[in-house]
Amino acid sequence: MALVFWGSTKCDLCGKILDVEDQIVSFPNVVQNESDPLYCFNDQVYHSGCLMNNPQWREVDLFFKYYSSLKRERKCVVCGHFITNPEEYLTLGFLTADSKASLFKYNFLEFHSQHFNQWSEKWEVLSHLRQLKDSRLWSGNSLDWIFDGRIFK
């Protein structure tokens, strides 16, 4: 979440300084695809009213409902056990807001890092991500850690 310093942090839409009495919304730093329509909201903070009056409010609201509905239990998709050691934690993170996209079902999946290569769907995900990158529907360097071979072996 974006950091807020009351009396000095500005709303990223109206530019006015946020006050402790203001109702605010802080957008998480989870959208890594610079081509995603929600990327401009990534790690930003807003007056609630400013955000609700934004033309993209519908997409932002759907994202927040989806994001908050996910259980962040840190449970490995492969073995089903809780991931208690941060050194063993791997997540695919947020891949797309488009619920019709093939990658949508993989948003925020979590793994023990040693179990990821046992996951039966890893090559399918890699193929979809390569298609996005090659078609320029994904921009930025956030996929480099995947494509450099450290994750997919």
Side-chain angles (χ1 to χ4, degrees):
M1 292 291 175
L3 292 176
V4 176
F5 298 98
W6 302 113
S8 62
T9 301
K10 294 180 180 180
C11 170
D12 287 299
L13 289 172
C14 73
K16 293 181 181 172
I17 293 177
L18 300 171
D19 190 81
V20 71
E21 289 106 28
D22 292 338
Q23 290 186 334
I24 66 164
V25 175
S26 181
F27 201 90
N29 183 16
V30 296
V31 182
Q32 301 307 310
N33 179 1
E34 295 173 16
S35 295
D36 190 290
L38 295 180
Y39 182 77
C40 62
F41 295 97
N42 205 40
D43 203 27
Q44 303 295 316
V45 63
Y46 309 96
H47 290 108
S48 298
C50 292
L51 188 57
M52 289 171 28
N53 288 324
N54 186 283
Q56 288 182 276
W57 168 244
R58 182 169 154 29
E59 291 87 358
V60 171
D61 187 44
L62 287 172
F63 168 82
F64 274 121
K65 287 176 180 166
Y66 170 65
Y67 183 70
S68 62
S69 74
L70 296 172
K71 289 185 174 181
R72 301 295 297 180
E73 294 179 329
R74 303 251 192 264
K75 218 175 200 182
C76 180
V77 170
V78 176
C79 72
H81 292 105
F82 289 103
I83 306 164
T84 56
N85 182 349
E87 305 270 327
E88 297 175 355
Y89 178 73
L90 176 79
T91 182
L92 295 178
F94 179 72
L95 302 171
T96 181
D98 181 0
S99 62
K100 294 178 179 125
S102 54
L103 284 171
F104 186 80
K105 66 182 180 180
Y106 302 114
N107 280 331
F108 300 112
L109 292 186
E110 300 168 317
F111 305 86
H112 285 103
S113 53
Q114 68 269 25
H115 291 160
F116 181 73
N117 282 313
Q118 299 167 11
W119 186 44
S120 62
E121 297 179 64
K122 72 176 186 174
W123 297 113
E124 182 179 339
V125 170
L126 181 63
S127 173
H128 290 301
L129 290 173
R130 279 199 197 285
Q131 288 172 357
L132 282 177
K133 186 86 167 171
D134 292 345
S135 65
R136 301 197 193 281
L137 294 174
W138 188 294
S139 59
N141 61 3
S142 60
L143 292 180
D144 292 350
W145 64 277
I146 290 176
F147 294 135
D148 72 2
R150 286 182 279 172
I151 302 300
F152 286 87
K153 298 175 185 170

